[in-house]
Amino acid sequence: MCGIVGIVGQAPVNQSLYDALLVLQHRGQDAAGIVTCEGGKLHLRKDNGLARDVFQTKHMLRLRGNMGVGHVRYPTAGASSSAEAQPFYVNSPHGIVLAHNGNLTNAEELKRDLIVEDLRHLNTESDSEILLNILAHELQIQGRLRIDEQDIFRAVAGVHRRCRGGYAAVAMIPGFGVFAFRDPHGIRPLVYGRRETPEGAEYMIASESVALDTSGFDLVSDVAPGETVLITLDGQLHTRQCAANPVLSPCIFEFVYFARPDSIIDNISVHKARSRMGKKLAAKIKREWPNHDIDVVIPIPDTSRTAALQLANQLGVHYAEGFIKNRYIGRTFIMPGQKVRKRSVRQKLNAIDLEFRRKNVLLVDDSIVRGTTSQQIIQMARDAGANRVYFASAAPPVRFPNVYGIDMPAASELIAHGRTEDEVARELGTDRLIFQDLEDLIDAVQKKGKSHVDRFDTSVFDGQYVTGDVTPEYLQALEDRRNDGAKEQRAARSESILDLHNSN
């Protein structure tokens, strides 16, 4: 999961890029980077950490130019070193800068092809570098000294023929322009917008529409699945469908959890979708538990608030804020290591005893992934004096790993994997557990009569992967590489190398 942005402006773009990364920070808190272009010269700043910490005044002053690309990262492939912070750059041909959100499901095959057949060198374990080199090779084989928009479109068409998985990318070529493309299923989000200035039109491409809003850009459109959007240095906009059979299949988990509620993705309001999730969940409770004894509905901050409020309204039950959140702690289910996640829950949330004491409480969360957070929150509610603690999830049980750019790859670490809903409830320690039905979730997100979504990627709930290339063997190899134990071993190796380097 990452956030990407690209701008072609009439004036320096460093501040607008930084502002965009701040509002996309929820998509990645591990690293941040910006590359700007001044004439034919590139200026780079990237490092591990939050955007506000990576970019100081001295760095911003060096990021000169009217065109640039930015990235915030949470690693789902590769390592967590600053060397793998994005954007990435390759010198040949033309000098290409790229920032990527997603995950390539055929990365290992592509890596072999790049090294053996395309004779290109890879410096990192990141599939984003693989994507960049595939793009570079497809542009290089055209043999053009001076490129135009048709060369870009042909190169991206080659990327779509070779790459599988979920990917949204923004790229920049010095002296030419910025372009962006989205995989033929449109799994990861990507939008673009325009703002008028006295000097002329400026364009921004970003992961979410909220990045456009905060900088005064008007949303033009989502980048369609398989489409390429190109803005040349002189401010000209060009678009082309570059995939053979695009089918819009966005990741439904964006609407459940990842995207900001004030974003619009594929013409769907995230806020409205979450509101409808609450209504659907209330209807299920009325249907299956008509004589419930819920005294109060309390959301788990922050993403579940919209659904919880609607649920309470539909049930005619009191709604209350029962937890105070420390906003300086990151999202726990994507934190590396179970010990870190457990410690962070208590640091992140504190219960207000008065809202729990002697009450039957329904806690509402957007989803239950590993269950670490949910277990501790349920216990916190009991410790705060709740009489009975019920738990509702605005999403169905997460039973399968995500392979398209969200860091929940190890099935064995998902609490609902291989368990019934009753078994999950016992594992969590709740008096009753209510999950959203998948059909209701799809209904809640899909705007009937208005949405142009063909289908959603719901693979984390039903194991149906829209790219059609995910095998049990692939999932097992993914788990072996990315479970908590493997991550801890890689971290230990990195620390040993760093210690050795420092001692020398």
Side-chain angles (χ1 to χ4, degrees):
M1 181 184 69
C2 298
I4 61 176
V5 59
I7 302 177
V8 176
Q10 302 293 335
V13 297
N14 53 353
Q15 186 65 51
S16 292
L17 288 167
Y18 175 75
D19 292 343
L21 294 186
L22 287 182
V23 298
L24 294 174
Q25 189 75 82
H26 61 287
R27 301 190 65 86
Q29 300 157 21
D30 180 75
I34 290 176
V35 176
T36 58
C37 184
E38 181 186 29
K41 186 176 182 180
L42 297 174
H43 304 285
L44 164 68
R45 169 62 182 171
K46 62 179 182 177
D47 202 352
N48 283 351
L50 300 174
R52 69 184 184 202
D53 299 322
V54 170
F55 304 105
Q56 300 172 17
T57 301
K58 63 182 179 181
H59 304 126
M60 296 296 290
L61 291 173
R62 295 170 190 155
L63 293 170
R64 300 182 297 273
N66 295 0
M67 182 169 69
V69 170
H71 187 270
V72 287
R73 176 181 190 249
Y74 185 86
T76 56
S80 301
S81 70
S82 58
E84 300 210 3
Q86 297 185 41
F88 285 138
Y89 170 75
V90 66
N91 185 58
S92 177
H94 312 295
I96 307 172
V97 176
L98 179 136
H100 165 230
N101 173 36
N103 188 61
L104 303 180
T105 54
N106 64 332
E108 293 303 312
E109 172 190 331
L110 291 171
K111 185 187 297 184
R112 289 192 297 271
D113 290 346
L114 281 169
I115 295 171
V116 176
E117 297 180 17
D118 299 348
L119 303 178
R120 300 193 73 89
H121 178 72
L122 298 174
N123 296 302
T124 72
E125 294 297 314
S126 172
D127 63 342
S128 301
E129 191 189 12
I130 293 173
L131 181 65
L132 169 59
N133 276 274
I134 293 291
L135 174 65
H137 177 77
E138 292 297 321
L139 200 53
Q140 189 168 34
I141 60 176
Q142 298 180 48
R144 302 259 293 180
L145 292 176
R146 298 179 66 85
I147 58 173
D148 60 20
E149 63 272 15
Q150 301 305 321
D151 300 312
I152 298 296
F153 294 146
R154 282 191 291 268
V156 176
V159 170
H160 291 325
R161 285 192 297 270
R162 296 179 66 178
C163 296
R164 298 193 300 271
Y167 52 91
V170 59
M172 177 174 66
I173 296 178
F176 180 69
V178 168
F179 60 99
F181 53 94
R182 196 176 178 195
D183 72 80
H185 295 91
I187 296 171
R188 300 264 71 87
L190 196 62
V191 300
Y192 64 101
R194 172 186 172 122
R195 71 179 175 190
E196 298 296 338
T197 73
E199 293 78 22
E202 299 182 325
Y203 288 91
M204 176 188 285
I205 304 164
S207 292
E208 294 185 35
S209 63
V210 66
L212 309 179
D213 300 339
T214 57
S215 294
F217 286 83
D218 295 321
L219 175 64
V220 174
S221 180
D222 297 273
V223 177
E227 184 181 30
T228 302
V229 173
L230 164 67
I231 302 102
T232 53
L233 196 57
D234 59 0
Q236 297 299 307
L237 173 69
H238 306 269
T239 65
R240 174 73 57 85
Q241 177 53 253
C242 297
N245 298 295
V247 180
L248 182 55
S249 314
C251 173
I252 205 165
F253 215 75
E254 290 278 356
F255 300 91
V256 170
Y257 179 74
F258 280 116
R260 273 183 45 152
D262 44 347
S263 283
I264 308 291
I265 298 177
D266 292 313
N267 201 36
I268 299 170
S269 163
V270 176
H271 171 75
K272 289 289 188 182
R274 290 177 184 167
S275 179
R276 291 190 290 264
M277 290 177 207
K279 291 180 180 179
K280 293 285 187 182
L281 203 50
K284 180 173 182 178
I285 291 174
K286 288 179 179 179
R287 186 172 63 249
E288 298 187 358
W289 191 17
N291 299 318
H292 69 80
D293 58 352
I294 301 166
D295 296 318
V296 60
V297 172
I298 294 178
I300 312 302
D302 284 314
T303 44
S304 65
R305 281 197 173 104
T306 305
L309 181 58
Q310 277 296 337
L311 187 154
N313 289 339
Q314 295 294 312
L315 293 181
V317 172
H318 180 62
Y319 170 91
E321 293 286 342
F323 294 102
I324 299 300
K325 182 177 181 180
N326 179 351
R327 300 185 183 279
Y328 301 97
I329 301 293
R331 290 177 161 183
T332 48
F333 94 75
I334 59 174
M335 283 184 172
Q338 188 77 345
K339 291 179 181 178
V340 175
R341 282 189 292 270
K342 286 183 176 180
R343 185 171 66 249
S344 295
V345 174
R346 290 281 180 171
Q347 294 173 340
K348 184 167 80 168
L349 295 175
N350 191 46
I352 302 172
D353 291 4
L354 290 174
E355 298 295 349
F356 293 89
R357 198 171 298 151
R358 294 185 295 276
K359 295 176 183 176
N360 295 333
V361 178
L362 175 63
L363 303 177
V364 179
D365 209 349
D366 48 70
S367 58
I368 302 171
V369 181
R370 286 178 167 98
T372 308
T373 303
S374 304
Q375 286 171 332
Q376 293 194 62
I377 288 173
I378 289 166
Q379 187 57 49
M380 287 170 67
R382 295 197 190 282
D383 293 343
N387 180 33
R388 296 179 70 79
V389 181
Y390 310 122
F391 204 96
S393 167
V398 175
R399 301 188 188 280
F400 302 92
N402 184 281
V403 301
Y404 300 128
I406 300 175
D407 189 38
M408 46 169 122
S412 61
E413 294 170 4
L414 304 173
I415 193 169
H417 180 73
R419 290 189 176 100
T420 66
E421 292 186 14
D422 288 341
E423 288 171 337
V424 174
R426 287 195 292 273
E427 192 75 15
L428 293 177
T430 181
D431 294 301
R432 185 163 187 149
L433 179 61
I434 304 103
F435 279 110
Q436 186 90 263
D437 293 332
L438 181 56
E439 296 78 11
D440 284 344
L441 175 62
I442 293 170
D443 240 18
V445 178
Q446 181 96 33
K447 282 200 310 183
K448 295 300 182 184
K450 294 184 180 180
S451 171
H452 51 280
V453 172
D454 297 307
R455 60 179 178 179
F456 291 96
D457 172 64
T458 57
S459 54
V460 296
F461 306 121
D462 59 11
Q464 302 298 309
Y465 296 93
V466 295
T467 53
D469 62 332
V470 179
T471 64
E473 293 76 19
Y474 175 87
L475 293 176
Q476 184 58 55
L478 194 70
E479 172 151 357
D480 292 343
R481 288 198 306 272
R482 299 193 198 170
N483 61 48
D484 279 346
K487 288 179 182 177
E488 288 171 4
Q489 288 178 9
R490 284 197 297 272
R493 285 198 299 269
S494 297
E495 287 179 9
S496 297
I497 293 171
L498 183 60
D499 289 343
L500 181 62
H501 174 77
N502 292 336
S503 65
N504 292 334

